[in-house]
């Protein structure tokens, strides 16, 4: 029986495996993210967190398994990747802005090239997205004229401008000076409040406790534990989760 749009997960991952050569990185990930849910992914370096995100928009090709966006298959032959990727916004650790383009130019690029919007329409959408991240006054600045936090907020605006169904954040604050982290987290909080579905890989424990609906702990390419933030972060049931969290309280 088909599920209704209300019960269909926004993002669903089934039996996801990924190996690089003979080295397995993901060992059977099953994950579903509901509409407007923020799921926070924690785990040690090398646990497969970023690889899982990159598989979710096929920047990495899964070795096996299936991924669905609102019930539409993202994996397998015959998928229009350009169309599907517009539904999966991605914010990277390293911003990935074009240095020769202004903030406005970075945000309008995909709107014009991929969605074929006119310059005027693209700039109107981009202006709205830059306003949402508090950077209306920096629209004509180049990345080199912006702080790291401002560059990351431009990257978030670029993803938002395409009006994605789900947004993936891959350690969005790890490259920032500590005093710049708060501005980026505030924007992410606003994005969540506006109803966006979000899958976030990060070590910002305070933000996870406050803003996430669910926390997942990964280790060795598997989901070891998941649940509400207070349970996973405050009273984890698995030894590996406890050992990982102890590092942050030492």
């Amino acid at each position: 029986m088909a599920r209704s749009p209300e019960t269909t997960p926004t993002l669903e991952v089934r039996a996801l495996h990924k190996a690089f050569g003979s080295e397995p990185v993901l060992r059977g990930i099953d994950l579903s993210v509901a509409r407007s849910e923020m799921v926070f992914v924690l785990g040690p370096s090398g646990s497969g967190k970023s690889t899982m995100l990159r598989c979710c928009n096929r920047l990495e090709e899964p070795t096996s398994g299936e991924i669905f966006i609102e019930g539409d298959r993202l994996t397998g032959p015959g998928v229009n990747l350009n169309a599907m990727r517009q539904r999966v916004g991605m914010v990277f650790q390293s911003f990935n802005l074009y240095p020769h383009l202004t903030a406005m130019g970075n945000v309008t690029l995909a709107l014009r090239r991929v969605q074929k919007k006119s310059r005027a329409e693209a700039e109107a959408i981009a202006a709205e997205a830059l306003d949402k991240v508090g950077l209306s006054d920096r629209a004509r600045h180049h990345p080199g004229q912006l702080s790291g936090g401002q560059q990351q907020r431009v990257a978030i605006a670029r993803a938002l401008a395409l009006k994605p169904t789900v947004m993936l954040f891959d350690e969005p604050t790890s490259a920032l000076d500590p005093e710049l982290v708060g501005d980026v987290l505030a924007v992410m909080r606003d994005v969540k409040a506006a109803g966006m579905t979000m899958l976030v890989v990060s070590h910002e424990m305070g933000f996870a406790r406050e803003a996430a609906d669910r926390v997942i702990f990964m280790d060795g390419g598997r989901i070891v534990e998941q649940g509400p933030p207070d349970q996973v972060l405050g009273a984890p049931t698995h030894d590996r989760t406890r050992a990982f969290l102890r590092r942050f309280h030492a």
Side-chain angles (χ1 to χ4, degrees):
M1 188 173 74
R3 288 181 286 192
S4 70
E6 289 73 27
T7 59
T8 300
T10 298
L11 172 66
E12 187 172 13
V13 176
R14 298 181 190 166
L16 183 65
H17 288 258
K18 174 64 180 177
F20 293 106
S22 60
E23 184 68 29
V25 178
L26 298 175
R27 303 167 185 259
I29 298 291
D30 291 299
L31 171 66
S32 107
V33 184
R35 182 183 300 181
S36 300
E37 187 180 25
M38 181 198 279
V39 175
F40 219 86
V41 185
L42 298 173
S45 179
S47 59
K49 309 181 302 296
S50 292
T51 299
M52 178 183 71
L53 281 197
R54 293 171 69 84
C55 285
C56 285
N57 66 357
R58 285 184 59 187
L59 285 174
E60 295 286 358
E61 280 298 314
T63 303
S64 63
E66 297 177 305
I67 299 167
F68 298 86
I69 303 294
E70 292 184 323
D72 296 328
R73 190 191 303 270
L74 180 60
T75 43
V79 172
N80 182 336
L81 271 186
N82 268 343
M84 289 300 281
R85 281 185 178 142
Q86 290 175 61
R87 297 168 66 181
V88 186
M90 183 95 178
V91 178
F92 299 90
Q93 177 178 341
S94 54
F95 322 141
N96 287 11
L97 300 178
Y98 289 101
H100 64 289
L101 296 177
T102 63
M104 175 67 73
N106 271 282
V107 178
T108 57
L109 187 64
L111 292 167
R112 297 183 66 197
R113 292 259 181 94
V114 179
Q115 294 191 347
K116 307 299 183 188
K117 296 189 183 300
S118 69
R119 178 184 292 273
E121 188 179 5
E123 291 198 348
I125 294 168
E128 182 183 353
L130 287 166
D131 183 57
K132 284 179 181 172
V133 301
L135 289 176
S136 294
D137 59 337
R138 297 288 190 272
R140 302 299 172 185
H141 287 59
H142 287 79
Q145 300 170 294
L146 302 173
S147 71
Q150 289 170 335
Q151 290 183 61
Q152 190 61 292
R153 284 150 61 196
V154 172
I156 293 172
R158 176 179 59 188
L160 285 174
L162 294 171
K163 298 192 165 39
T165 303
V166 60
M167 283 184 65
L168 313 176
F169 292 81
D170 189 8
E171 309 227 14
T173 61
S174 64
L176 302 179
D177 292 333
E179 66 269 21
L180 302 176
V181 169
D183 289 342
V184 172
L185 295 182
V187 167
M188 292 173 65
R189 201 175 286 113
D190 290 345
V191 170
K192 180 187 188 318
M196 180 60 69
T197 306
M198 300 164 70
L199 185 60
V200 180
V201 168
S202 175
H203 290 131
E204 296 289 343
M205 298 292 186
F207 183 65
R209 193 182 292 274
E210 168 214 336
D213 296 296
R214 184 159 40 111
V215 172
I216 285 172
F217 177 72
M218 284 182 65
D219 193 30
R222 294 185 173 92
I223 293 175
V224 172
E225 183 166 0
Q226 61 178 304
D230 285 347
Q231 182 259 302
V232 175
L233 300 179
T237 60
H238 202 287
D239 288 344
R240 280 186 285 180
T241 316
R242 286 196 288 269
F244 175 79
L245 293 172
R246 270 198 297 273
R247 292 167 36 203
F248 292 88
H249 300 300

